Every structure is written in structure tokens, then in C-alpha cells.
Amino acid sequence: MDTKHLILLAAVAAVLTGAVALLGVMEDRQEVTLKEGSYVLQGFNPEKVYGIYIKQGDETLIFKRRDERFILTGKYDYPVSNEQINRIVKAIADIRCAERVTADERNHGALGVAGEKGGLVVRFFGESGQKMTGIIIGRDRPGFPGFYVRMEDEKQVYLSTDTLPAVSTKTVDYIRRDLPPGRKSDYIRIACMNGSGAFSLDLREGRPVVEDIPKRQRQDNRAVAEFLKSLQQFPVRNLYRKADLATLTWPARLEFQRKDGTVYRVELAEKDGRHFARAEAMADGSAAEGHAAGGDKAKDASQPTLDTVGAFNRDHEAWIYEIDPSWMRVARMKQADLLE
């Protein structure tokens, strides 16, 4: 995982201060042990997190840190993005106390904090596998933005000051959607190649322009805008290893060229009414000329670009993504579909 990101989370948690007014009627009010507005996870250091366990109902996910990234363990050991892990860690680390509610275990079930049979359970583990802390997220309090929360090894229940950002326990929500990655403003050209031919969009002037338009025709700006909008979302449905779908053929592809020379290729396939994509990165325009990333142009690329290409391929080279049919519609488009 990106250690700098984790350090930033720890720093944010350390410097945020301030009191939060008590709201609503307190159940079984007792003396507050945490300051109003203080963080429920006291002394928590995100930089030390090497494992995360999340469970709600029958759904359980386990993440383990390998080198500088986190792996969703299980059938595939899939590498999730650092941003996804940071969102989980930040959501839990940012829980603040509004009031102390009850330490009576008989109330835990009604508040949704009885344990794994109750609410959302999140545990963090250190490098050697030791449990750092665990927290149970219960139900919301009606008419109040917060929710009931309990440290797993303590009886005391607190009410939080704010709602909890979504923490999913569904595998599909952790599948990478950064294909192509980064800001769309970083791209200068998009090429589409399929059985109907090929066309390209030039994005360098800030306004997309269809290349090589025939005489007496002009581009349909609305159609171009819709085409680009479709490319901005990667509608993932499921995940497979390449070896599991080795017989697929890939008749269509999209290539996205960035300002730094990196080219991201997304190839598309269809079988039995289902639609699939695979992705790879290449350096310095080599994809457009059909060369591998190790070609001469790749050798001339800057080291940061080569590092970006290597990291992307490391994360995506083993995977095939099942996607929504909308992307196949985009892949089948012809230049004429963007003209009027």
C-alpha cells in the first residue's frame, strides 16, 4: 500500500480537533469517557495496518498487505486499489464520539452492536498478524446523523457524530475500474478499432475532434460527447483469471494515449451473450504501432512512464473483467456514427 497515503491519514486524524454538541435524547446516559468530538479509535496508526477483516451478515472480506498494495484474499487474490483501502481506513478512523450510551450487554442486540451476528464488523491487523483493533458498527439512531458503535473488546457503546461512508462487503465493489486510469484531461488521443474499421479522436486542444473526416461532412458534437461519456465509466460485473477464459477472441480494442506517452489498451470480447474486457499498458506510443512494451520506443520512454506501465500491468495482466454490454456498443461504433 502507498505508505505516504497511510501516513497522511494518520496525520489528518491527529490534527483534527473540536467539540461536537450533543444531540437527541441519550439512552442510559453515563459519564463521558471520550471527549465529545474525539475519535473512537484512540492512538490508531493506519501506517501499521497490514490486514483488514470486514464482515456483515453472511458477507466476509479479508485484505492483506503485500509490498505496497493490498490483496483481496480468496479465490483469486485480487489487487485492490490503494484508494479503496484508504477509504475504508479513513471511514473507520474518522468515527467520532457524540455521547456515551450504555455498557449493559443486554442492550447490544437492540443497538446492532452484539458482534458478528449484529452489525458491520471491521478489524485491523498488524504486520505479524496480531489484531490491532476491532470495531462494530450498529444501527443508526432515528432523527440523528450518527450510529451506534462499540469497540469489539469493550462493552461500552457510543453514538457517533456523523453517518458512516459506505464500507462494502461485496467483492464486486473492489474490482478495479481505472481502465483507463487517471484524469481524463491527461489524455490526448483515443483510438477505436473493430470489425467496422477504425477511427480516432484528437483531444489535445481541449475539445474532442474526429480525425480524418471525409469532405462535406462534419462531426456530431452531441454523439462525440456521448461516446466520451460512455468511456468514462467501466461497468464491471465480475472478475476472472485469464486462464479461465483462454478461448476468448478479442476483435475490438480501444487505445487511450496520455500526455506522458503511456498508452492504455482495452480489448473487448463477446461470448454467449456476455461481454469481457482485458487491459494492458504500453510506453511511448508503442501500442498504436503494434509493438510490445519492450520495443525501441519503450526504451526511450522516461523512467516514471515505465514505472507507471509496469505497475498497471502488474495489477491487471492476470485478469479478465466481465462488463456491461454498453461497452460493446461503444466498441462497435464507426466513424460515421460520430458524423452528421
Side-chain angles (χ1 to χ4, degrees):
M1 184 178 186
D2 191 333
T3 303
K4 292 183 179 178
H5 287 177
L6 290 174
I7 294 174
L8 177 60
L9 287 178
V12 170
V15 301
L16 288 176
T17 58
V20 175
L22 288 174
L23 300 175
V25 178
M26 295 184 294
E27 300 90 340
D28 188 22
R29 178 167 181 169
Q30 303 174 39
E31 181 182 356
V32 175
T33 55
L34 292 177
K35 290 183 179 180
E36 299 163 11
S38 63
Y39 293 94
V40 173
L41 289 185
Q42 295 290 303
F44 176 64
N45 185 357
E47 186 180 356
K48 302 295 184 181
V49 173
Y50 278 78
I52 303 174
Y53 170 97
I54 305 174
K55 180 177 177 62
Q56 187 164 37
D58 296 329
E59 302 286 344
T60 302
L61 298 178
I62 298 174
F63 303 91
K64 292 185 178 180
R65 183 173 171 181
R66 295 181 186 171
D67 299 323
E68 296 303 316
R69 60 179 178 168
F70 273 81
I71 304 297
L72 174 58
T73 64
K75 182 178 180 181
Y76 295 126
D77 284 352
Y78 179 74
V80 301
S81 71
N82 287 344
E83 289 75 16
Q84 289 171 309
I85 294 299
N86 281 346
R87 281 195 293 269
I88 296 173
V89 176
K90 188 176 188 303
I92 302 303
D94 280 354
I95 297 173
R96 293 181 293 170
C97 171
E99 61 187 65
R100 188 181 184 188
V101 178
T102 180
D104 190 338
E105 290 183 85
R106 293 172 296 181
N107 296 326
H108 287 179
L111 300 178
V113 294
E116 292 193 358
K117 295 181 180 179
L120 172 70
V121 177
V122 181
R123 298 175 187 143
F124 296 107
F125 297 87
E127 186 172 8
S128 62
Q130 78 280 12
K131 178 180 170 182
M132 295 171 61
T133 189
I135 195 165
I136 304 171
I137 310 299
R139 66 174 177 83
D140 298 337
R141 180 202 249 181
F144 188 80
F147 52 88
Y148 298 105
V149 58
R150 177 174 69 87
M151 301 302 297
E152 191 173 25
D153 298 326
E154 299 177 7
K155 297 179 181 179
Q156 182 63 57
V157 180
Y158 298 95
L159 181 67
S160 75
T161 58
D162 301 294
T163 58
L164 181 73
V167 177
S168 176
T169 54
K170 297 184 182 299
T171 300
V172 69
D173 291 333
Y174 295 92
I175 297 176
R176 303 284 288 268
R177 287 165 169 79
D178 53 344
L179 305 177
R183 300 173 302 176
K184 298 302 177 285
S185 59
D186 290 337
Y187 290 86
I188 60 174
R189 190 171 184 269
I190 300 174
C192 179
M193 287 143 276
N194 54 42
S196 301
F199 65 89
S200 300
L201 292 179
D202 188 327
L203 308 177
R204 286 175 295 185
E205 299 302 320
R207 186 179 71 88
V209 176
V210 180
E211 296 180 351
D212 302 321
I213 299 178
K215 292 181 178 179
R216 293 186 294 277
Q217 283 191 283
R218 61 181 181 178
Q219 73 181 38
D220 183 338
N221 290 330
R222 178 177 296 182
V224 171
E226 287 298 317
F227 175 75
L228 290 175
K229 182 179 179 180
S230 297
L231 296 181
Q232 290 173 359
Q233 299 178 348
F234 194 67
V236 177
R237 290 184 169 184
N238 211 336
L239 178 73
Y240 303 89
R241 283 200 175 272
K242 284 186 176 180
D244 297 334
L245 296 171
T247 60
L248 287 178
T249 57
W250 305 89
R253 72 177 186 266
L254 295 158
E255 291 179 351
F256 304 80
Q257 184 174 354
R258 292 176 55 143
K259 295 175 182 177
D260 63 1
T262 310
V263 175
Y264 296 93
R265 173 183 288 174
V266 178
E267 295 181 301
L268 301 160
E270 181 177 357
K271 183 178 182 181
D272 300 329
R274 297 162 64 197
H275 308 273
F276 304 92
R278 65 182 182 184
E280 64 177 326
M282 285 153 272
D284 204 18
S286 57
E289 300 193 12
H291 298 302
D296 293 338
K297 290 198 172 189
K299 293 179 181 178
D300 295 334
S302 67
Q303 189 59 48
T305 297
L306 293 175
D307 291 342
T308 298
V309 167
F312 183 90
N313 288 336
R314 180 187 64 176
D315 285 345
H316 295 283
E317 64 186 356
W319 311 104
I320 290 176
Y321 302 90
E322 184 174 356
I323 59 172
D324 189 271
S326 61
W327 262 64
M328 291 305 295
R329 176 185 59 81
V330 171
R332 294 191 187 101
M333 291 185 71
K334 306 182 292 293
Q335 185 188 63
D337 297 324
L338 303 179
L339 303 178
E340 60 180 12

